[in-house]
Structure formats: structure tokens, C-alpha cells
Amino acid sequence: MKLLFVKTVHTNDPFEAAKFIKRGGIVAFPTETVYGLGANVFDASAIAKVFDAKRRPTDNPLIAHISNTGQISELAVAITASAGKLIAAFFPGPLTIVLKKLQAVPEIATAGLDTIGIRMPRSDLVRQFLAACEAPIVAPSANLSGRPSPTTWQAVAEDLNGRIDCILQGEPTKIGLESTVVDCTSDIPIVLRSGAVSLEQLREIAPETIKYETTPSEAPRSPGLRHKHYSPKARIVIADAGTNFSEVENAAYIGQNSPPTMFERLRICSTIEEYAHSMFEFFRECDRAGIQTIFCEPVDETGIGTALMDRIRRAAQE
Ligand code: TXA
Ligand code: MG
């Protein structure tokens, strides 16, 4: 479908933003992880606009965002025991649980799957917005498909101005990496996408939690993981001990330790949380500055480091 130019209204008012949803429109809004691009979960034609605006492949399901746990019963057949434990511990927060969906949820929302991802984001502004929408809101990250996820409203505007009805402007997002997606359809929680809640944190609540591992020939259970992701225009190189920086011009570097050579752009992060928080915006800054290669220092794969390395590896994929 060809998308016509739409005027994108910018507002700080969650109630004004919610009016667009109620009229069948699509609205970008801040969460504690990244900005999302929302539509009413029960409005199939609004959801189609979300896929169009982002140029998102239609085989990639969306996460439903709720303002209170009562809304789970509008979406899911039942709350399993494993889901109940994780909801009690992590909602509101950067965790998405996957449950069997109700028939009433349109197929387009879940890309034909019989399950739906559900999460309750944490910041006050997003909670006010979601409550004012009076329905669960399905939302992927508010970037053009394949680009780095947006952590500021300016990054949303860069990708989607003229393609969506409204941007609810908030602060830069607190965490900067997406939620952890956990399949809770059975007794054993299975991490489908690593994210802001670490495996260690999940296991404190549900020690049986496992990470879903695919062999290269298998289709991933979280369909989004099949697609190219998080990529700036610049080439991403994971900088390890053997990396030769000297022959590369017009390059940038992000990591926790100072590199041995000079770079056009440099971001040294004092903590891994700061690295996670700044990486996507750094990628975008580098694109604006015409950087051709971005070196990313690898991190230990514990805590949020697992999700950070996952995003760096995907961004580095050709
Ligand atoms: O933090 C986040 O999760 C952000 C904010 C906006 O909430 N959202 C986000 O959405 O990252 P998106 O669409 O960019 O990524 C959602 C991921 C995809 O990998 C998708 O395949 C997976 O969640 N997913 C969604 N529903 C699923 C389901 N029913 N079963 C398995 N995976 C699912
Ligand atoms: Mg995304």
C-alpha cells in the first residue's frame, strides 16, 4: 500500500495523544526502554498503518502495552503460573510475557501467531497515555524497520515524521534497550529475546527459566529475530584484541575503555548501563555526521550485557 503524507502532530500531552488512537490513528510514545509506535489492539486497520509506516515485515508480531493488569484478560486466554510469578515481580517494567491469545485479538497484531506478547511499561507519562487510550496498545519500536531503535522523540521524528499521526514527546528513554521477551505459555519460562531484565534477575524469581537457543537452520521462536536489525548506515565492527584500527578513516568508537587511536567520534561509557543507554543514539549521531565505520567494544555477557551484545552482534550482521 502506498502511504500518503500525513501531518505529524507533536505534543507533550498524553490525553491529546490518546485522542488520535481513539480516532483510529497511530501514535509514537516514550517507554522506559525505547519509543513505541502504537495502535489500538482491536483496530486492525490502525495496526496495518503501523506496519506500513515502519515498513515492518508482516510476519513480525507486535507487543501489547497495558496500563493495568486487568487488561490481560482482554488479550490472553489465561495467566499461567509462570506468567503470574513474573508479572508479580516485574510489572510494570521492561519485561514482555508471551501468552496464548484470545480470538478477539486480530491476527494482524500477532502476525498470525496464536500467542501475544504483553507488557506494562513503567514511566508515568506512558501510563497516563495508555490509561487514556482505554484499550491495550500494540506497539513495535518507533523506528523504520531495520534502523536503530529510537531513544529520543527526535529520533522518532527523523524516521517517521510525515508517516504517523502524532508523537508524544517525553524525555530520552531511561534504559535504551528493549524489553526482555519471555514465553510463559508453559510451566518453564523461555527467554525469546534478551533485554533489559536479565536472565539472572528472571531466575531469582523463576529459577527454572531457560534461554531459547536456535541452531542456524531453525526458525527463531521470536519471529523478529530473523530480520536485519538495529543497523545504522555505518558499518558496525566488534572491536576485539586483534582489531587493527589504523587503516580505517572516518570512524567512531563506543565502549568502556579508551581505544589506542584517535577517532572522529568517541563515546566512553563509565558503566555498562550507560553503554546500553547511549548506543542506539550514538549510532544515529554517527549517521548524521557521515561516519562510515563504528567500532563497538564488546562487554561481558552478564546482566544487561547479554542484551547489549545481542544488539551489537545483530547490528554488525551484513
Ligand atoms: O521494549 C520493547 O519491547 C519495545 C517498547 C516499545 O515496548 N518494543 C519493541 O517492539 O521492541 P519490537 O516490535 O521492536 O520487538 C518485539 C519483539 C520482536 O522480536 C517480536 O518478534 C517479539 O517481540 N514478539 C512479539 N510478540 C511475540 C509473540 N507472540 N511470540 C514471540 N515473539 C514475539
Ligand atoms: Mg524493534
Side-chain angles (χ1 to χ4, degrees), residues 29-312:
F29 60 94
T31 81
E32 75 277 41
T33 58
V34 300
Y35 275 70
L37 175 61
N40 182 331
V41 67
F42 299 116
D43 184 342
S45 66
I47 299 173
K49 289 190 225 165
V50 167
F51 280 93
D52 278 352
K54 273 191 64 112
R55 302 199 192 103
R56 180 176 177 100
T58 50
D59 65 354
N60 197 358
L62 307 182
I63 295 170
H65 296 69
I66 57 173
S67 60
N68 64 81
T69 49
Q71 288 179 318
I72 298 174
S73 64
E74 297 175 36
L75 301 167
V77 173
I79 299 178
T80 56
S82 61
K85 278 199 281 192
L86 297 181
I87 289 167
F90 297 107
F91 277 28
L95 181 74
T96 297
I97 55 164
V98 171
L99 290 170
K100 284 265 178 286
K101 84 169 183 76
L102 286 170
Q103 286 260 311
V105 176
E107 291 216 337
I108 187 172
T110 62
L113 296 180
D114 64 354
T115 56
I116 181 152
I118 302 172
R119 102 171 180 91
M120 188 196 289
R122 192 161 50 200
S123 78
D124 288 343
L125 185 62
V126 69
R127 301 285 295 284
Q128 284 169 346
F129 166 68
L130 292 173
C133 290
E134 296 177 332
I137 297 298
V138 276
S141 50
N143 51 284
L144 285 175
S145 209
R147 300 263 300 139
S149 299
T151 58
T152 64
W153 66 259
Q154 291 90 340
V156 176
E158 191 170 69
D159 279 14
L160 298 178
N161 250 353
R163 305 177 69 83
I164 65 177
D165 298 295
C166 178
I167 298 176
L168 175 59
Q169 295 182 0
E171 299 291 309
T173 62
K174 284 221 161 59
I175 298 174
L177 290 185
E178 299 86 347
S179 65
T180 306
V181 180
V182 182
D183 181 338
C184 290
T185 54
S186 73
D187 293 342
I188 299 180
I190 307 170
V191 176
L192 302 179
R193 177 180 72 178
S194 60
V197 175
S198 67
L199 186 59
E200 296 88 332
Q201 286 171 308
L202 291 168
R203 283 186 176 154
E204 277 174 29
I205 304 298
E208 63 279 16
T209 305
I210 56 173
K211 202 174 158 185
Y212 186 67
E213 308 280 358
T214 37
T215 57
S217 61
E218 243 179 317
R221 279 264 280 278
S222 184
L225 303 184
R226 266 197 297 268
H227 301 290
K228 188 169 167 63
H229 254 92
Y230 315 117
S231 307
K233 295 182 192 105
R235 181 173 66 110
I236 301 292
V237 176
I238 302 175
D240 55 27
T243 303
N244 178 5
F245 298 113
S246 58
E247 284 158 25
V248 187
E249 276 173 33
N250 212 359
Y253 182 98
I254 181 168
Q256 290 181 278
N257 299 290
S258 294
T261 43
M262 300 269 283
F263 285 90
E264 295 272 318
R265 259 167 197 266
L266 186 64
R267 177 70 55 86
I268 304 301
C269 308
S270 51
T271 61
I272 192 160
E273 285 75 19
E274 188 189 329
Y275 192 164
H277 180 258
S278 12
M279 187 178 76
F280 285 142
E281 187 52 29
F282 186 70
F283 285 177
R284 284 177 179 268
E285 265 171 52
C286 289
D287 276 354
R288 287 176 210 127
I291 296 289
Q292 279 165 359
T293 306
I294 306 170
F295 291 97
C296 297
E297 187 187 346
V299 298
D300 288 342
E301 295 194 48
T302 57
I304 202 168
T306 309
L308 183 55
M309 278 313 294
D310 169 76
R311 305 303 187 268
I312 293 174

